[in-house]
Amino acid sequence: MSEPKTPTPTPAGDTYKGWVFKWTNYIKGYQRRWFVLSNGLLSYYRTQAEMGHTCRGTINLATATITVDDACNFVISNGGAQTYHLKASCEVERQRWITALELAKAKAARMQAESDDSGDDFSPSSPPAAPGQGGGSQNSEVQSALRTLGSKVEDLSTCNDLISKHGSALQRSLSELDSLRLTGEAGDKIRQVTERATLFRITSNAMINACRDFLALAQAHSKRWQKALQAEREQRVRLEETLEQLAKQHNHLERAFRGAAQVNASADNKSAVGPGKSEASDEDDDNEFFDAMEEAPEFITVPADPQFHKRSSSNISGFNSEMCPDDQSLNEEPLAMNQESPSLELVPLKKRRTRIPDKPNYSLNLWSIMKNCIGKELSKIPMPVNFNEPISMLQRLSEDLEYYELLDKAAKCQSSLEQMCYVAAFSVSSYSTTVHRTGKPFNPLLGETYELDRQRECGYRSLCEQVSHHPPAAAHHAISDRGWTLRQEITVASKFRGKYLSIMPLGTIHASFEKSNNHYTWKKVTTTVHNIIVGKLWIDQSGEIDVVNHTTGDRCHLKFAPYSYFSRDIARKVTGVVMDKDGKAHYVLSGTWDEKMEFSRVMQSSRGGENGTEGKQKTVYQTLKARELWRRNPLPEGTETMYYFTALALTLNELEEGVAPTDSRRRPDQRLMEDGRWDEANAEKQRLEEKQRSARREREREAASQRTSSQSEEAVDDDSHTDPSLKSALHDNYQALWFERCEDQITGEQVHIYKGGYWEEKERGCWEGLPDIF
């Protein structure tokens, strides 16, 4: 698409916009920006798409000076606070901008002078407010408020007259009493009463005068407020019109893009399946993967003929593709499972809770937090529990097993490619619990553990432990009687960008299956929390996941599309392709990370269709009808008052007998917060954090005492330059309780792997040697 041209000059007061180069810094120099001149204000954006939500800067021309540097450069400044060094593409373009800016400046200065004249009435010739804006009603409300104020001041004036009248009569009576020449105590009392009456009359007069002054100021400034309100309303209408035009342009471009795609795809489809196959409808969005305004998809899917596998390959020579070798088994049935005898359903031995205390309606005073942070180290700033939810990060990590049934099904699969579909769906399902969860989990204390024993109910056991505090890292190990093992070590890195917070989990997740000996790995995507400063918090997931089968070489590439205001596609979309080690596609996955995932068997693939970004041809997949692979469980009733917890999350912090003393269920500040006693929870949280710091200082002293020679110190210091973990170990000799640090044989990373012993200790009921962290 060609770049938009700068508009021709328009009459003063109308919107003028176009591309201008703006000086940024000495590294980047002049950068191309989109400038909009409207209503005496010059604003700029990085792109035209930002006009609907992000303004990079605005300067008021009424008080600005405009100077010309040379043929193409000009400067706009408002006295030092803001200065824009701009450069047009040519001298003619620069002159157009100068003309428009000067006219807009003259009009803005004239409007400001008129608004400063408090005696002027509100201009009856002003354009009316946009429909739905309530301009007339707001104007009448202001006039009604002024009339009410005036009537109250008149009432006060009447009361003042009565006070003066009766006060004068009172003083005359007191003077008459004083003329009786009373002596002694009675005379003193009369004089005291006279003085008080005089003070009361003076005070009431002062109050009436102050009320008159207030009414005069309100009447004078109301006209300015009305004009300012009208200007803001007009600006909003202009912005809405601009946004509507952009949306129409986007719709037009997308339709044109889809039309071209349909022509190419239908042509290939006709040559592949013969003349009897009808063309795809333009409204069939379920089989399309395009977004005109965003990054183009990597592939396109089109429906295949259900009887495709009955045709010989000689009849489809027009489609440059390969047939699947197992075409006899291609049908629309669900993924094949082993024909094993069905296992008996295990009845839960314990009834789990379905409710927790409702979240208290605590107001969060940011200033009360910020003022307590002044002069303190960042690591010692106590963050209140107001930001939290009543579970720890270890419990939140255990929530990855919400949809453990996907791994149960994967363990029964005969084909590794079918198994990959379930593993990929499991990697997506862990994000479904985060869509409304804006609360922050408690940071686990060093040595804190959490067990999730569902062996007799669901067949699996899970153990998490906080194995490091700087940087914070948690190790997780889960094993199931149904033939799978899951382990991971997660370290979280975060970046605060002002309006949003990006949370990047670091670490690899491993899933292995006993029967097939397949070993899968993948990583988590980036979580973004939006509207940190102002507005309602909301969560988005974006990035890419590569699920790799290290045994067979199969791979599934998943793409989490970031949310876009201009996209007509479904929100939170996830797409993926399952390929074998040779790069041949077998399944296409699609869905959303908060609702469901579907899979489609690939019948045929081709390099064709239309070109993608950078001129590359996109792959077109002919697939069978999509089948549901995973769907999110419905949330419990009343979950909005229970931190939007799922049914599993509601049971995570439920007290259980026999758990380790370091278990998160025994954490007192978390328990107090769940009970709604937030003030006590904040005090307890500070106590636990200080206790953890004291324990760390003690370990550092013990580590320092173990260094017996300077030679050994220098040797370790030399190694610490290449291995930072050795440097931290020098000052802290902490060892994890149930996990040991070693090199991962698959990825080569230094990770903590479960060494055993926890469940045996639990069966014996003997927890010896555990630290006192609570």
Side-chain angles (χ1 to χ4, degrees), residues 115-118 219-229:
S115 64
D116 289 340
D117 186 4
S118 60
Q219 290 173 340
H221 286 285
S222 65
K223 299 177 179 61
R224 297 185 184 181
W225 295 337
Q226 291 173 16
K227 290 184 179 181
L229 180 63

Side-chain angles (χ1 to χ4, degrees), residues 354-386:
T354 58
R355 287 199 62 84
I356 61 173
D358 290 346
K359 178 181 179 180
N361 188 17
Y362 275 78
S363 61
L364 182 60
N365 188 348
L366 290 176
W367 169 241
S368 65
I369 300 170
M370 293 171 62
K371 68 181 181 181
N372 292 330
C373 299
I374 298 174
K376 291 185 178 181
E377 295 181 13
L378 187 61
S379 61
K380 296 185 178 180
I381 296 175
M383 295 303 294
V385 298
N386 306 54

Side-chain angles (χ1 to χ4, degrees), residues 404-413 415-416 418-424 426 478 480 482-486 510-522 547-549 551:
Y404 69 93
E405 300 97 335
L406 292 171
L407 296 179
D408 290 347
K409 294 177 181 178
K412 297 179 181 180
C413 287
S415 168
S416 62
E418 296 173 355
Q419 191 177 72
M420 173 69 81
C421 291
Y422 282 108
V423 175
F426 177 79
S480 173
R482 299 170 188 177
W484 56 264
T485 301
L486 183 76
H510 298 255
S512 57
F513 296 90
E514 181 179 351
K515 184 176 180 180
S516 61
N517 201 31
N518 288 331
H519 191 117
Y520 298 85
T521 63
W522 67 91
V547 185
V548 181
N549 184 342
T551 304

Side-chain angles (χ1 to χ4, degrees), residues 233-264:
R233 190 178 296 116
E234 294 172 5
Q235 179 73 0
R236 179 180 177 182
V237 171
R238 293 190 185 96
L239 289 175
E240 290 176 350
E241 292 175 352
T242 302
L243 185 60
E244 184 178 0
Q245 292 176 0
L246 287 173
K248 290 179 179 179
Q249 293 176 5
H250 170 266
N251 189 22
H252 175 73
L253 291 172
E254 187 175 14
R255 287 180 180 276
F257 185 77
R258 184 184 291 115
Q262 182 187 358
V263 170
N264 293 329

Side-chain angles (χ1 to χ4, degrees), residues 509-570:
I509 305 172
H510 298 255
S512 57
F513 296 90
E514 181 179 351
K515 184 176 180 180
S516 61
N517 201 31
N518 288 331
H519 191 117
Y520 298 85
T521 63
W522 67 91
K523 295 179 181 291
K524 290 181 176 288
V525 296
T526 298
T527 300
T528 306
V529 185
H530 293 270
N531 293 342
I532 294 293
I533 302 299
V534 178
K536 183 179 179 180
L537 296 176
W538 59 279
I539 305 292
D540 192 24
Q541 312 286 348
S542 60
E544 299 181 0
I545 293 179
D546 280 314
V547 185
V548 181
N549 184 342
H550 294 273
T551 304
T552 63
D554 301 337
R555 181 181 298 268
C556 177
H557 181 75
L558 294 170
K559 183 174 182 180
F560 289 65
Y563 174 81
S564 174
Y565 180 81
F566 295 99
S567 175
R568 292 179 66 246
D569 212 340
I570 57 175

Side-chain angles (χ1 to χ4, degrees), residues 37-55:
L37 172 61
S38 177
N39 200 28
L41 299 176
L42 180 65
S43 305
Y44 77 93
Y45 312 82
R46 286 190 177 177
T47 62
Q48 292 173 274
E50 285 191 347
M51 290 179 62
H53 53 85
T54 305
C55 178

